[in-house]
Amino acid sequence: MKLNYRLIVSDFDGTLITSDGRVLPEVKSAIDEYIANGGIFAVCTGRMLCCILPRVRELGLKGIVVAYQGTVIADIESGKLLKNGGLNYNDASEICEYLEELGQPVNVYCGDTMYTTISKDNVYLQRYESIVGIDAVSINGKISEFVRKSKLRYQKVSVLIHKNERNGLYFKLVKKFADRFDITCSAKELVEVSPLTDNKGEALRFLANHYNVPMDKTIAVGDNLNDLSMIKAAGLGVAVENAEQELKEVAGYVSVSNNDGAVAQIIKKFGFA
């Protein structure tokens, strides 16, 4: 079969997998067929690298995976890092200080570790840990001070927040930091801050350049605000039916939902000539 688009890059949670964390058989079959005919399929996620590697390996994917929404890029089979960006500890500490002033619990990510000021019995944290398969490390006191003293590089700073309060915090962070950092959301309960140029749009360009694929021959698929940059950058940007309205408004196509096999539908409709 002749390919139409040569590179398809998909978000993971809310897009490739169902709401209960499964890859539907028809999605796996469609991906396998696309790859067998010379297509390149990659995952670009906000998840930590250690949390996404096992899942893409289960899918049988090879090549490159993008984690931390573009801050980290790695080879799937070896785990070797091709890019390892992040916030310097002074910038990360400044972001944490502002969130502390707002009375928000803070999470910071460094490599394979998530540090948090959220109580370990918090239901939001427990759900998050269960979904991504990690145990967060608790920090007592101000996490801004911990970050500054650590002198480490942090991939992102995030806040787990009730979905009704998410947008309010998001716009406060945009007003404060949008000219210096990337402010985004990867879920209804998450607001995240990462390096300004480490986003999914730049990750898509990295993948296209790596695989020598023209940008107009790429498809990007997503559901949340952190997918916006790659939806705009791709030759064809696709929002799944369960996506944020802002994504649907800029996407070239709106597919069925993640629970209805969106990625399979997209491959069948656009993957082949």
Side-chain angles (χ1 to χ4, degrees):
M1 297 174 70
K2 186 178 178 181
L3 294 176
N4 185 16
Y5 288 87
R6 292 170 50 198
L7 170 63
I8 299 177
V9 179
S10 175
D11 173 50
F12 194 69
D13 297 279
T15 303
L16 180 60
I17 62 173
T18 59
S19 298
D20 59 0
R22 295 176 296 121
V23 177
L24 295 174
E26 59 265 36
V27 170
K28 174 71 165 63
S29 177
I31 292 170
D32 288 345
E33 181 182 21
Y34 179 70
I35 293 171
N37 281 276
I40 302 162
F41 186 88
V43 168
C44 184
T45 178
R47 286 195 184 201
M48 305 164 68
L49 181 62
C50 62
C51 300
I52 193 60
L53 272 179
R55 299 303 305 269
V56 292
R57 286 168 176 166
E58 286 172 9
L59 264 172
L61 295 182
K62 301 185 187 304
I64 295 175
V65 64
V66 179
Y68 282 122
Q69 59 221 15
T71 304
V72 172
I73 301 176
D75 177 75
I76 293 173
E77 292 178 274
S78 67
K80 179 183 178 182
L81 297 180
L82 304 179
K83 177 183 178 182
N84 188 23
L87 301 159
N88 67 59
Y89 58 87
N90 284 323
D91 285 344
S93 181
E94 181 185 354
I95 297 162
C96 292
E97 282 181 346
Y98 180 66
L99 290 169
E100 288 165 348
E101 290 173 9
L102 296 177
Q104 296 291 345
V106 184
N107 314 303
V108 294
Y109 300 76
C110 180
D112 292 341
T113 306
M114 169 185 167
Y115 300 97
T116 185
T117 59
I118 302 175
S119 170
K120 293 291 281 184
D121 60 3
N122 182 283
V123 292
Y124 287 107
L125 179 62
Q126 290 175 349
R127 179 171 175 267
Y128 181 81
E129 289 176 321
S130 174
I131 290 171
V132 300
I134 62 159
D135 290 319
V137 176
S138 296
I139 298 297
N140 295 319
K142 290 189 175 182
I143 202 165
S144 58
E145 294 179 0
F146 167 82
V147 167
R148 184 172 289 110
K149 291 176 181 177
S150 74
K151 299 191 183 301
L152 297 172
R153 180 171 290 273
Y154 293 86
Q155 276 69 48
K156 65 179 178 180
V157 178
S158 80
V159 176
L160 271 169
I161 191 169
H162 191 279
K163 61 183 180 180
N164 294 337
E165 300 174 2
R166 189 196 77 171
N167 287 351
L169 178 60
Y170 169 78
F171 287 115
K172 285 180 181 178
L173 285 165
V174 166
K175 184 177 180 180
K176 178 76 172 177
F177 292 124
D179 61 332
R180 296 173 56 202
F181 307 115
D182 185 54
I183 318 298
T184 192
C185 303
S186 62
K188 295 184 185 299
E189 303 86 7
L190 275 172
V191 182
E192 302 174 332
V193 187
S194 55
L196 190 60
T197 57
D198 287 353
N199 57 55
K200 290 191 175 187
E202 291 304 313
L204 176 62
R205 293 183 182 94
F206 180 99
L207 290 167
N209 181 67
H210 178 85
Y211 290 116
N212 196 29
V213 176
M215 286 296 290
D216 63 356
K217 290 298 181 181
T218 66
I219 295 176
V221 193
D223 74 307
N224 223 303
L225 297 183
N226 68 333
D227 299 311
L228 191 58
S229 60
M230 73 172 182
I231 294 293
K232 289 180 176 180
L236 174 64
V238 180
V240 292
E241 176 56 38
N242 51 294
E244 295 275 345
Q245 185 60 32
E246 189 172 348
L247 250 71
K248 292 181 179 180
E249 290 173 358
V250 301
Y253 180 74
V254 178
S255 73
V256 298
S257 77
N258 63 320
N259 292 326
D260 295 317
V263 170
Q265 183 205 52
I266 293 160
I267 290 173
K268 291 174 183 176
K269 186 174 182 65
F270 299 109
F272 302 103

